[in-house]
Amino acid sequence: VFTANVKDSVGAIAIIGCIFASAVAGIASSQHANVNAAPATIYKMDVIEVTAPRMKTERMATIVVTASRAENTLAAANSNTSAAF
């Protein structure tokens, strides 16, 4: 029983040590090293113009697709044709 208690105590001390080390590392890494450093240089870039020829677009007829819950059919239709799959 004594050796089991010693092993439990050593494990608890190791866990507490890891938590403490993680806390110290977190605090140390959250500090900014260059707080008093000069501000970053801002560079002004030249304007880049991108042009492309206009494309002719056409509006297609609306397609309505419905599915029946009662049957295994899929129906697609527009103003000109209709089909069932």
Side-chain angles (χ1 to χ4, degrees):
V1 173
F2 179 74
T3 57
N5 285 338
V6 169
K7 288 181 182 179
D8 287 344
S9 298
V10 170
I13 291 171
I15 291 172
I16 292 171
C18 289
I19 292 171
F20 180 73
S22 298
V24 170
I27 292 171
S29 66
S30 67
Q31 302 298 320
H32 296 289
N34 55 355
V35 173
N36 295 326
T41 305
I42 298 174
Y43 297 99
K44 184 176 180 182
M45 297 180 64
D46 294 331
V47 176
I48 300 173
E49 292 184 15
V50 178
T51 59
R54 299 276 182 193
M55 293 178 59
K56 183 179 178 184
T57 58
E58 294 183 15
R59 190 166 195 72
M60 297 180 66
T62 304
I63 298 173
V64 178
V65 178
T66 61
S68 173
R69 292 179 187 231
E71 301 174 8
N72 292 331
T73 59
L74 178 69
N78 65 9
S79 60
N80 298 328
T81 61
S82 63
F85 303 99

